[in-house]
Amino acid sequence: MVTAVQPLPRAVSVRHLGPNWYASVMGTAIVATAGVALPVPVPRVLLAAVWALSLGLLVALLAARAVHWTHHRDQARAHLLDPAMAPFYGCLSMALLAVGGGALTVGRDWIGRDAALALDAVLFGAGTVIGLTAAVAVPYLMAVQHKVEAAQATPVWLLPLVAPMVSAALGPLLVPYLPSGQPRETLLLACFAMFGVSLLATLLMLPLVFGRLITGGPLPLALTPTLFLVLGPLGQSTTAVGKFADFAPGVVPAPYSEGFGVFAVLYGVPVLGFAMLWLAFAGAHVLRARRNGMGFAMTWWAFTFPVGTCVTGAEALARHTGLVVYDWLAVGLYVVLVAAWGTAAVHTTRGLVSGELLAGPRPAPVAPRPTTARTR
């Protein structure tokens, strides 16, 4: 006899919904914002539609996570105490910031400038506070509560440290809307300070990740896509210094305004060069993992936002160097971004429809009881 499976209550269905799901919002929003400055025109109505989708995803996830914290506090606490899950709280910050920045760049086409400005101001403020908090709280938990070992290091550890860099890259968009004088200069230099916070913290953490790869071997198959997360601080920092150079004239006095323009090139060129080296390195690991049977997991969203930051970084270098090669690098990376986003979105939708992605961990198979046989 076949027993019908009863649908799960709403509160139960989100029990295993972790903060890693915010990566889907980040990956969707960057598709919209990275397409704005490409040398090949992309229809703005299409980019605005993608941004609207990211806004809808953000609202839905915030509501679902609120239900999660209300009905499953034990699981939410377990996420905070899990060194593999806690760093994903940085994704909440970056999701808020990515959607807010997209409001001013493409969302304004649909909701108007004033609404876009208000939305970005709220999301930037909330995302920055959450990001700075996560940048301190998560490493603190890892040091005093998680008791992690060097062999456990993965690029996921970078997530809370990258969040302030996203604030640094997107904060300058709000500078022209502040009163001239000290308010504008304060915000721009605050973004520059967050650039330093994130950069120096990343430089402390990245050697642990690379050292684990060299001494411990490849990551487990499901975690292999997280190697692309290293591109995040590289591409986003290149984007940030480009934004500082864009908005510094008239905001900070000379010679500092000119210095930002010089710094955008002297910093951005070698860092984006290293990002391309890491892209090849991470891509080789992913191809190996795929040949060894790597299937879809939510870690595939690591192929989206970090690549998108390299697109915006290449666009920034194209503006400040005038080199066509960076224009075409941005186009090539954007093609990779769109393909990765489409693949991750399709698999995620299938997993949601089937319920597989929100299902709990599968119980370990029960070993059969030993039996004895009578022998003659």
Side-chain angles (χ1 to χ4, degrees), residues 153-175:
T154 72
V156 171
W157 290 8
L158 295 170
L159 287 172
L161 308 179
V162 180
M165 188 67 78
V166 181
S167 292
L170 295 176
L173 295 175
L174 291 168
V175 167

Side-chain angles (χ1 to χ4, degrees), residues 5-368:
V5 178
Q6 297 297 325
L8 295 175
R10 184 180 302 273
V12 176
S13 66
V14 299
R15 175 170 176 78
H16 300 285
L17 182 73
N20 56 319
W21 279 76
Y22 287 112
S24 62
V25 178
M26 300 158 50
T28 302
I30 198 73
V31 171
T33 54
V36 174
L38 290 173
V40 178
V42 180
R44 284 187 65 91
V45 65
L46 183 58
L47 298 178
V50 174
W51 172 82
L53 175 61
S54 71
L55 176 61
L57 289 174
L58 176 63
V59 172
L61 272 175
L62 288 174
R65 288 286 294 166
V67 172
H68 181 271
W69 272 93
T70 301
H71 294 278
H72 305 293
R73 292 183 182 177
D74 61 323
Q75 187 73 4
R77 178 177 173 79
H79 285 163
L80 281 173
L81 298 180
D82 183 356
M85 186 61 71
F88 283 102
Y89 275 91
C91 290
L92 168 58
S93 166
M94 291 185 280
L96 295 171
L97 293 165
V99 173
L104 271 184
T105 52
V106 292
R108 62 189 298 170
D109 295 352
W110 282 18
I111 64 176
R113 192 200 72 169
D114 293 342
L117 178 59
L119 180 62
D120 187 26
V122 171
L123 294 183
F124 176 78
T128 298
V129 170
I130 293 171
L132 291 173
T133 302
V136 175
V138 174
Y140 175 81
L141 286 174
M142 294 174 69
V144 304
Q145 187 68 42
H146 296 163
K147 305 300 181 183
V148 295
E149 299 179 358
Q152 297 174 272
T154 72
V156 171
W157 290 8
L158 295 170
L159 287 172
L161 308 179
V162 180
M165 188 67 78
V166 181
S167 292
L170 295 176
L173 295 175
L174 291 168
V175 167
Y177 299 98
L178 293 177
S180 58
Q182 289 210 7
R184 292 185 181 183
E185 185 175 358
T186 299
L187 177 57
L188 189 64
L189 292 185
C191 291
F192 193 34
M194 288 188 286
F195 165 87
V197 167
S198 182
L199 178 64
L200 294 176
T202 298
L203 291 177
L204 290 175
M205 189 69 74
L206 189 55
L208 295 177
V209 175
F210 188 68
R212 180 256 176 267
L213 285 172
I214 298 301
T215 61
L219 294 175
L221 296 182
L223 287 177
T224 302
T226 64
L227 289 172
F228 275 67
L229 294 177
V230 176
L231 297 175
L234 302 175
Q236 198 69 284
S237 61
T238 303
T239 303
V241 295
K243 292 294 184 183
F244 301 153
D246 292 339
F247 291 93
V251 174
V252 296
Y256 304 112
S257 58
E258 292 84 358
F260 276 118
V262 174
F263 185 57
V265 176
L266 295 184
Y267 174 90
V269 170
V271 169
L272 192 63
F274 177 70
M276 295 303 97
L277 173 67
W278 190 272
L279 178 62
F281 175 75
H285 275 262
V286 169
L287 290 176
R288 174 191 172 277
R290 190 63 173 163
R291 288 196 302 268
N292 290 335
M294 181 186 73
F296 175 75
M298 286 299 290
T299 52
W300 281 33
W301 283 100
F303 297 139
T304 57
F305 188 81
V307 174
T309 66
C310 292
V311 176
T312 56
E315 291 169 346
L317 284 177
R319 290 195 306 273
H320 293 285
T321 65
L323 295 178
V324 177
V325 65
Y326 286 114
D327 282 325
W328 291 111
L329 177 61
V331 171
L333 291 173
Y334 190 74
V335 172
V336 174
L337 168 63
V338 172
W341 175 81
T343 302
V346 168
H347 281 85
T348 302
T349 302
R350 289 176 180 172
L352 283 173
V353 171
S354 67
E356 182 179 356
L357 286 179
L358 291 178
R362 296 178 181 177
V366 179

